[in-house]
């Protein structure tokens, strides 16, 4: 029996340990699982960072709402957990933790150090997630660097290679100078940065005094450090003012080499002078111009962001330093005509915030641009929660400009299973049966090149992009593998695929969701999940993004020290899925209040209906009020089931709280206090058990404690199959409607009457057990008379089910909207006010006739009051009229 005050500091950790120790949420690996009833969740593997942020707390809790609801609603639920520890993030974490550089170690040695560092962080991360009470099956965890996952990732590479969907090419690629690796388009983001527009004079090398060609022109650029990489100048074909330049050549200031001046429609005539220099490479336009016009290649910035020999005297300087030095020299040479401050959008690497460069390097790609229409169609096959998030996916796919670059020049990651013939360059790909392999330490699958017969090979030393592995999570969890004997791909758990749900944040739709669709679709021919649930971000109280630099970050540890986990779960259910929302402490306090209310109401239920309580009283024993409550609860069960299925957790939370607090606690419980019969006991216990189940996905700990104390042991002994009893509330069946008939309108009216009379006694400082002499009710509450008189101690109750109440509506005043009436009627306003004061007016529908003018409805507002002229006091409860006569 629950006793004393609820102590979440003791209860919550105890249940968190017990759920893990007893494997409460384990997926039944050994038992046959019906693929038609299993519910599988493709959970996001968080980047290993060691500490939770509010986004983790929110996202994991939303996933858990689904897992707990689906587990109670059907068969087995597969809810795994992964750690993304094979990419740049884990590498940079290791470098920072150990104060080392990955370049200073042999790859396997550095990877071993990464494993050690990540293992410590993963252990802490596991404890943090378990402290949230998330119902993960901890027997189904994975790391994106573990050998099993390495095999799946390399199998994916080999399969796509065999399909002709992958290629290696030396071409311009997006490059991060800080991380010193190529990156994909999805890993870049826009950043507003302060800069300068530099107006630079370019001499026309081929200018002739005999024609109209100007001797020089101006180019405005934010990147003077790219001058040594200039290979052409472009003018828009519609730029009449500068058409004379087309076909001429220009001399690049300071560096002296000549470049052609060409017409091209890609020029933005509205920016700067409208004349643009093309450098190899400054942006996407430069790359397109380089390819279309077959321009020279001048690489002035290297992989680390420093100037090359092409930059002549600036060689070795960092690009930012070189830019300042070049500006100074341009000014000294008289070629810098103007320099002004601007703010512009810069492409940066999302991992480190460094501005990206475009370098010509040899990289591996997955071909995607040829199938964007197909990828849009498979995106439409999924159910999107919320539906509006599909537009983000659509915009990303439609805006793709690059195939997926999947190679990284790093140490931490899964190796490409590829070698190259040292003579002819032929690609040698590992056999599927041998995977995983590391070409730096493992031999190729052939002794001689099948193309030229050469017997020496160069191993590929790049590693796969981390998203090339994370995009395989559905296949990893389903046990996708190559069966050598059958020569086909198989799945250890085919019942899981396609997965039912992919939950994730809206910020990684282009990262994780899109790439998962592409990879799994190319391997299996079907969409990897039926539904995706996209959550928003947690903001500060001013709806600003949380940032450590701004100082507005709310740490989960601080929140969990002050509030119960269940209160944070209540908070997490407080907004529509997909919306960003502000963190508000008042929501946590509201959660605490609900937990206390549920606890105290449960104690009251147990005192009013102690064991042994009736499980199935005869239907005729139920009073109308009992039937009404259970019928109302049936409607609530149907509504909540629909809301949970639609992932409308906010509406489910608020509707369940309101029904429990108002209808059950304030109305029925107050009436049931006056009764000592089996029908009331049955109704109390039946409703209470169902409330615990309905609250269970949201308030996981307090409902488990109450279920264990009040029902689990007795239910196990009685084998209460009808109630789906079990040792854990989270393993019982989700409630189904009982199908009890009742006059729900009459019951609602009766409880409204009780609530109104309770309020009347409180306002008149009467004890609740004070007798009321006479009460008249103008509503059909037949069948509920005994409940009204019993709980409210009414001596004489008269019910008028079919009569109109002797109440009239009286106009008590009329307010004018002076903002519209004043300007419109001017000097007549005084006459209007005087006529209203004397009651000299007529109301005709939405019109007011007064002082010779007609006012329309938006120009005035009628004040009304309901009045009763008989004996007693008029009380109104919604649509119910109550007259109280009390001599006391």
């Amino acid at each position: 029996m629950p006793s004393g005050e609820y102590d979440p500091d003791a209860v919550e950790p105890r249940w968190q340990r017990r759920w893990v120790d007893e494997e409460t949420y384990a997926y039944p690996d050994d038992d046959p699982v019906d693929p038609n009833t299993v519910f599988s969740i493709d959970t996001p593997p968080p980047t290993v960072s060691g500490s939770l942020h509010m986004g983790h707390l929110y996202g994991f809790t939303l996933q858990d709402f689904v897992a707990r609801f689906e587990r109670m609603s059907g068969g087995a639920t597969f809810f795994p957990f992964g750690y993304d520890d094979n990419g740049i993030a884990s590498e940079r974490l290791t470098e920072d933790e150990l104060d080392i550089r990955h370049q200073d170690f042999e790859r396997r040695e550095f990877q071993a150090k990464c494993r050690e560092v990540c293992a410590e962080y993963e252990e802490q991360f596991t404890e943090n997630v378990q402290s949230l009470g998330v119902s993960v099956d901890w027997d189904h965890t994975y790391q994106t660097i573990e050998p099993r996952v390495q095999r799946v990732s390399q199998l994916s590479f080999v399969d796509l290679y065999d399909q002709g969907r992958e290629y290696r090419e030396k071409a311009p690629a997006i490059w991060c100078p800080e991380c010193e690796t190529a990156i994909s388009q999805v890993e870049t983001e826009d950043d507003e940065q302060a800069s300068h527009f530099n107006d630079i004079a370019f001499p026309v090398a081929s200018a002739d005094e005999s024609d109209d060609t100007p001797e020089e022109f101006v180019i405005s650029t934010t990147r003077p450090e790219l001058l040594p990489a200039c290979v052409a100048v472009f003018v828009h074909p519609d730029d009449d003012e500068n058409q004379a330049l087309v076909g001429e050549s220009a001399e690049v200031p300071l560096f002296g080499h000549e470049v052609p001046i060409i017409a091209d429609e890609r020029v933005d005539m509205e920016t700067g002078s409208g004349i643009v220099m093309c450098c190899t490479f400054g942006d996407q336009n430069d790359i397109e111009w380089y390819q279309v016009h077959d321009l020279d290649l001048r690489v002035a910035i290297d992989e680390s962001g420093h100037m090359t020999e092409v930059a002549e005297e600036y060689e070795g300087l960092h690009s930012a330093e070189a830019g300042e030095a070049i500006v100074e020299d341009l000014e000294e040479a008289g070629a810098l005509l103007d320099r002004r401050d601007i703010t512009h959008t810069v492409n940066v690497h999302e991992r480190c915030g460094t501005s990206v460069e475009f370098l010509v390097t040899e990289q591996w790609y997955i071909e995607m641009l040829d199938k964007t229409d197909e990828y849009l169609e498979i995106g439409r096959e999924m159910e999107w929660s919320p539906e509006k998030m599909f537009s983000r996916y659509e915009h990303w796919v439609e805006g793709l400009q690059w195939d997926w670059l999947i190679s990284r020049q790093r140490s931490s990651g899964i190796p490409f299973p590829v070698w190259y013939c040292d003579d002819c360059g032929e690609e040698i790909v590992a056999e599927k049966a041998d995977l995983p392999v590391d070409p730096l330490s493992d031999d190729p699958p052939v002794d001689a090149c099948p193309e030229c017969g050469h017997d020496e090979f160069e191993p590929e030393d790049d590693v796969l992009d981390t998203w090339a592995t994370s995009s395989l999570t559905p296949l990893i969890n389903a046990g996708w593998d190559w069966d050598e004997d059958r020569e086909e791909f198989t799945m250890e758990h085919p019942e899981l695929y396609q997965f039912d749900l992919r939950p994730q944040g809206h910020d990684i739709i282009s990262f994780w969701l899109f790439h998962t669709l592409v990879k799994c679709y190319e391997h299996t021919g079907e969409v990897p999940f039926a539904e995706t649930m996209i959550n928003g971000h947690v903001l500060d109280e001013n709806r600003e993004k949380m940032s450590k630099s701004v100082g507005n970050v709310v740490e989960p540890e601080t929140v969990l020290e002050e509030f119960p986990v269940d209160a944070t779960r209540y908070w997490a259910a407080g907004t529509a899925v997909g919306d960003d929302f502000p963190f508000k402490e008042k929501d946590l306090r509201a959660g605490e209040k609900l937990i206390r209310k549920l606890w105290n109401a449960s104690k009251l239920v147990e005192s009013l209906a102690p064991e042994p309580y009736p499980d199935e009283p005869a239907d005729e024993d139920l009073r109308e009020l009992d039937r009404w409550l259970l019928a109302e609860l049936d409607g609530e069960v149907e509504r909540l089931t629909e809301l949970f299925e639609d992932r409308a957790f906010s509406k489910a939370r608020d509707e369940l709280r309101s029904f429990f607090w108002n209808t059950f606690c304030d109305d029925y419980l107050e009436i049931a206090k006056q009764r000592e019969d089996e029908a009331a006991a049955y109704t109390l216990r039946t409703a209470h058990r169902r409330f615990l189940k309905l609250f269970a996905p949201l308030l996981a700990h307090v409902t488990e404690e109450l279920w264990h104390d009040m029902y689990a042991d007795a239910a196990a002994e009685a084998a209460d199959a009808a109630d789906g009893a079990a040792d854990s509330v989270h393993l019982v069946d989700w409630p189904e409607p009982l199908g009890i008939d009742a006059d729900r309108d009459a019951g609602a009216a009766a409880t409204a009457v009780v609530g109104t009379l309770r309020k009347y006694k409180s306002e008149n400082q009467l004890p609740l057990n004070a007798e009321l002499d006479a009460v008249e009710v103008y509503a059909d509450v037949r069948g509920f008379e005994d409940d009204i008189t019993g709980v409210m101690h009414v001596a004489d109750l008269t019910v008028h089910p079919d009569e109109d109440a002797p109440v009239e509506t009286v106009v008590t005043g009329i307010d004018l909207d002076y903002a519209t009436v004043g300007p419109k009627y001017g000097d007549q306003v005084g006459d209007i006010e005087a006529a209203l004061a004397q009651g000299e007016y007529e109301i005709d529908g939405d019109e007011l006739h007064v002082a010779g003018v007609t006012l329309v409805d938006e120009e005035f507002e009628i004040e009304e009051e309901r009045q009763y002229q008989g004996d007693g006091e008029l009380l109104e409860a919604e649509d119910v009229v109550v007259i109280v006569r009390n001599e006391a």
Side-chain angles (χ1 to χ4, degrees):
M1 173 177 179
S3 60
E5 296 297 319
Y6 179 62
D7 183 6
D9 291 337
V11 170
E12 292 181 340
R14 172 159 47 81
W15 278 112
Q16 290 159 12
R17 289 192 299 272
R18 183 165 170 178
W19 288 332
V20 174
D21 293 343
E22 296 183 359
E23 299 183 342
T24 302
Y25 309 115
Y27 181 75
D29 275 319
D30 299 330
D31 299 329
V33 180
D34 183 353
N36 296 315
T37 61
V38 67
F39 190 89
S40 50
I41 304 175
D42 180 30
T43 51
T47 301
V48 177
S49 61
S51 60
L52 291 172
H53 55 67
M54 291 304 293
H56 285 131
L57 190 155
Y58 174 56
F60 291 146
T61 304
L62 286 188
Q63 296 168 32
D64 197 44
F65 292 158
V66 178
R68 291 185 183 277
F69 168 71
E70 295 292 347
R71 191 179 288 114
M72 295 173 71
S73 297
T77 296
F78 183 78
F79 190 20
F81 196 82
Y83 307 90
D84 190 3
D85 55 5
N86 81 349
I88 291 178
S90 58
E91 184 170 293
R92 291 176 66 88
L93 174 68
T94 302
E95 290 177 322
D96 292 342
E97 282 285 301
L98 304 180
D99 193 22
I100 59 177
R101 297 174 71 250
H102 74 96
Q103 295 95 330
D104 297 334
F105 297 87
E106 185 271 337
R107 182 157 77 186
R108 285 204 170 182
E109 182 182 2
F110 181 80
Q111 286 186 347
K113 295 182 181 296
C114 286
R115 300 292 74 73
E116 293 172 7
V117 170
C118 288
E120 296 177 9
Y121 276 84
E122 286 166 8
E123 182 178 357
Q124 181 61 49
F125 207 92
T126 299
E127 293 177 7
N128 289 338
V129 175
Q130 290 177 353
S131 73
L132 300 178
V134 181
S135 60
V136 160
D137 177 0
W138 293 101
D139 287 335
H140 283 90
T141 61
Y142 63 91
Q143 301 162 306
T144 55
I145 198 61
E146 67 179 83
R148 174 178 67 96
V149 177
Q150 288 200 35
R151 174 172 171 80
V152 173
S153 187
Q154 290 186 345
L155 276 172
S156 169
F157 173 84
V158 173
D159 185 40
L160 292 177
Y161 183 87
D162 290 344
Q163 292 183 45
R165 300 297 302 165
E166 288 169 327
Y167 62 93
R168 186 171 183 247
E169 181 177 81
K170 187 171 186 178
I174 307 173
W175 187 272
C176 175
E178 170 64 23
C179 299
E180 295 189 34
T181 182
I183 59 176
S184 65
Q185 183 183 350
V186 74
E187 293 170 275
T188 66
E189 59 186 13
D190 292 338
D191 184 37
E192 288 291 319
Q193 295 184 2
S195 184
H196 298 91
F197 244 146
N198 302 280
D199 290 349
I200 303 172
F202 275 62
V204 178
S206 56
D208 190 328
E209 295 182 2
S210 62
D211 59 28
D212 295 332
T213 305
E215 294 185 359
E216 66 177 23
F217 58 88
V218 177
I219 283 179
S220 301
T221 180
T222 59
R223 301 203 62 188
E225 68 273 17
L226 287 177
L227 276 175
C230 180
V231 292
V233 169
F234 284 95
V235 175
H236 197 283
D238 297 335
D239 186 352
D240 296 333
E241 183 179 345
N242 294 306
Q243 281 306 299
L245 295 172
V246 176
E248 305 292 341
S249 59
E251 181 183 318
V252 178
L254 298 185
F255 297 93
H257 61 280
E258 295 186 11
V259 298
I261 304 175
I262 306 169
D264 194 284
E265 293 181 349
R266 295 175 184 84
V267 174
D268 181 1
M269 295 172 59
E270 304 302 319
T271 301
S273 65
I275 306 175
V276 184
M277 68 174 180
C278 171
C279 306
T280 50
F281 296 97
D283 58 20
Q284 179 69 26
N285 270 343
D286 288 346
I287 295 171
E288 293 179 12
W289 280 327
Y290 163 77
Q291 294 169 335
V292 170
H293 296 282
D294 195 23
L295 300 175
D296 292 337
L297 180 64
R298 293 177 64 90
V299 179
I301 300 176
D302 68 14
E303 290 88 347
S304 64
H306 292 79
M307 307 305 291
T308 68
E309 70 279 0
V310 171
E312 300 175 358
E313 62 185 276
Y314 308 100
E315 181 181 0
L317 292 177
H318 190 274
S319 60
E321 297 174 318
E324 292 301 318
I326 288 172
V327 166
E328 290 178 8
D329 292 345
L330 285 169
E331 187 169 22
E332 185 176 334
L336 183 67
L337 304 183
D338 191 19
R339 179 174 170 86
R340 54 195 181 278
D341 295 336
I342 65 164
T343 300
H344 67 154
T345 302
V346 177
N347 234 207
V348 300
H349 185 193
E350 57 88 25
R351 289 285 185 193
C352 62
T354 303
S355 298
V356 302
E357 300 288 354
F358 295 86
L359 302 183
V360 175
T361 56
E362 199 154 36
Q363 305 290 344
W364 279 98
Y365 296 85
I366 294 177
E367 195 169 2
M368 293 195 307
L369 297 181
D370 63 328
K371 297 180 75 170
T372 52
D373 289 344
E374 199 168 338
Y375 297 148
L376 276 175
E377 284 305 311
I378 63 173
R380 292 188 179 96
E381 291 181 21
M382 293 187 302
E383 179 182 350
W384 291 76
S385 298
E387 188 176 348
K388 64 183 180 181
M389 285 296 166
F390 174 73
S391 63
R392 296 199 182 199
Y393 174 86
E394 185 176 36
H395 293 156
W396 170 256
V397 176
E398 290 177 343
L400 278 175
Q401 298 175 307
W402 301 71
D403 283 335
W404 182 5
L405 191 157
I406 59 171
S407 47
R408 298 292 181 270
Q409 290 65 54
R410 304 293 290 185
S411 294
S412 177
I414 297 176
F416 279 84
V418 180
W419 298 256
Y420 307 100
C421 174
D422 210 19
D423 187 40
C424 71
E426 177 73 7
E427 297 161 357
I428 309 297
V429 178
E431 298 291 339
K432 296 185 183 76
D434 297 336
L435 303 176
V437 299
D438 185 349
L440 293 184
S441 53
D442 296 330
D443 293 329
V446 295
D447 295 325
C449 174
E451 187 68 23
C452 70
H454 191 68
D455 61 358
E456 292 186 11
F457 302 91
E458 181 73 21
E460 172 63 83
D461 59 359
D462 284 352
V463 295
L464 285 156
D465 167 24
T466 186
W467 294 104
T469 301
S470 299
S471 59
L472 296 166
T473 51
L475 298 179
I476 292 167
N477 284 305
W480 184 70
D481 204 347
W482 175 256
D483 188 315
E484 194 68 23
D485 295 333
R486 295 162 59 180
E487 294 188 346
E488 63 181 22
F489 285 102
T490 60
M491 290 186 186
E492 182 182 1
H493 292 288
E495 77 278 4
L496 299 177
Y497 198 91
Q498 67 177 194
F499 276 66
D500 293 278
L501 179 71
R502 154 64 69 86
Q504 65 165 73
H506 61 55
D507 56 322
I508 54 173
I509 289 176
S510 54
F511 286 79
W512 193 38
L513 180 61
F514 172 63
H515 287 148
T516 306
L517 283 178
V518 169
K519 275 288 199 86
C520 294
Y521 177 72
E522 295 298 346
H523 291 309
T524 68
E526 64 178 315
V527 181
F529 23 80
E531 175 193 355
T532 182
M533 180 179 71
I534 309 293
N535 63 269
H537 286 170
V538 183
L539 310 175
D540 71 7
E541 291 195 346
N542 298 316
R543 300 195 68 86
E544 298 292 332
K545 183 178 180 180
M546 291 188 184
S547 166
K548 290 184 178 179
S549 61
V550 176
N552 63 344
V553 172
V554 177
E555 297 292 350
E557 293 84 354
T558 304
V559 174
L560 294 171
E561 284 176 6
E562 185 175 355
F563 296 97
V565 174
D566 278 350
T568 67
R569 295 173 69 87
Y570 179 89
W571 158 79
T575 192
V577 172
D579 290 350
D580 294 341
F581 69 106
F583 174 83
K584 292 183 179 179
E585 194 171 288
K586 69 175 184 180
D587 292 335
L588 292 159
R589 300 204 181 280
E592 274 190 310
K593 290 180 181 178
L594 178 59
I595 293 167
R596 285 196 296 270
K597 186 73 171 180
L598 179 59
W599 182 262
N600 292 331
S602 299
K603 291 196 295 183
L604 181 56
V605 166
E606 190 154 50
S607 68
L608 295 174
E611 296 183 13
Y613 50 84
D615 287 328
E616 294 184 14
D619 190 54
E620 59 270 15
D621 291 342
L622 292 177
R623 287 163 57 162
E624 284 301 314
L625 186 69
D626 304 327
R627 300 176 63 81
W628 167 80
L629 176 73
L630 296 176
E632 288 287 295
L633 189 50
D634 271 1
E636 189 69 9
V637 166
E638 291 178 337
R639 172 69 174 152
L640 289 171
T641 301
E642 179 182 320
L643 291 174
F644 270 97
E645 288 174 344
D646 291 342
R647 317 308 179 204
F649 306 122
S650 177
K651 291 180 179 178
R653 182 199 76 170
D654 293 344
E655 291 192 19
L656 177 57
R657 177 192 179 280
S658 177
F659 185 87
F660 169 74
W661 199 300
N662 300 324
T663 305
F664 181 68
C665 294
D666 290 351
D667 293 336
Y668 185 81
L669 258 180
E670 290 300 323
I671 296 173
K673 284 181 184 179
Q674 315 300 320
R675 294 169 53 184
E676 295 182 1
D677 55 83
E678 286 199 351
Y682 167 80
T683 304
L684 283 169
R685 285 293 190 151
T686 299
H688 182 257
R689 281 197 302 264
R690 296 164 81 74
F691 277 122
L692 290 185
K693 296 177 184 181
L694 294 170
F695 273 120
L698 302 176
L699 308 178
H701 301 81
V702 66
T703 53
E704 185 75 297
E705 181 76 359
L706 289 168
W707 182 267
H708 182 76
D709 284 351
M710 297 177 68
Y711 299 112
D713 293 340
E717 291 176 8
D720 188 357
D723 202 36
D727 193 43
S728 169
V729 69
H730 302 295
L731 299 181
V732 302
D733 292 336
W734 184 256
E736 294 281 347
L738 297 172
I740 292 178
D741 293 326
D743 188 338
R744 294 171 67 175
D745 290 338
T751 54
V753 170
V754 171
T756 301
L757 293 176
R758 188 187 302 119
K759 181 180 178 183
Y760 167 81
K761 288 185 176 183
S762 175
E763 290 176 346
N764 289 275
Q765 298 183 330
L766 297 173
L768 288 177
N769 61 358
E771 185 171 281
L772 299 176
D773 295 329
V775 172
E776 290 188 68
V777 176
Y778 287 86
D780 189 355
V781 293
R782 287 173 293 185
F784 295 87
E785 294 94 339
D786 290 346
D787 294 302
I788 296 173
T789 57
V791 72
M792 284 290 105
H793 303 278
V794 177
D796 181 13
L797 175 67
T798 304
V799 176
H800 304 282
D802 302 315
E803 295 181 31
D804 292 331
V807 177
E808 63 177 340
T809 301
V810 177
V811 176
T812 58
I814 295 178
D815 293 329
L816 299 177
D817 182 0
Y818 287 98
T820 55
V821 173
K824 185 174 181 180
Y825 295 103
D827 295 341
Q828 294 176 274
V829 172
D831 295 335
I832 295 172
E833 291 176 326
L836 290 175
Q838 296 174 20
E840 297 175 353
Y841 60 84
E842 179 184 348
I843 298 173
D844 181 12
D846 293 336
E847 295 180 344
L848 173 66
H849 303 288
V850 58
V853 301
T854 299
L855 305 183
V856 294
D857 60 347
E858 66 267 18
E859 296 174 337
F860 68 95
E861 183 175 340
I862 300 174
E863 294 181 357
E864 296 179 330
E865 182 180 288
R866 301 254 288 172
Q867 294 182 354
Y868 168 64
Q869 302 299 328
D871 295 335
E873 183 175 344
L874 168 67
L875 308 178
E876 292 189 271
E878 300 173 3
D879 296 329
V880 180
V881 173
V882 179
I883 308 296
V884 177
R885 288 186 292 276
N886 195 41
E887 296 180 3

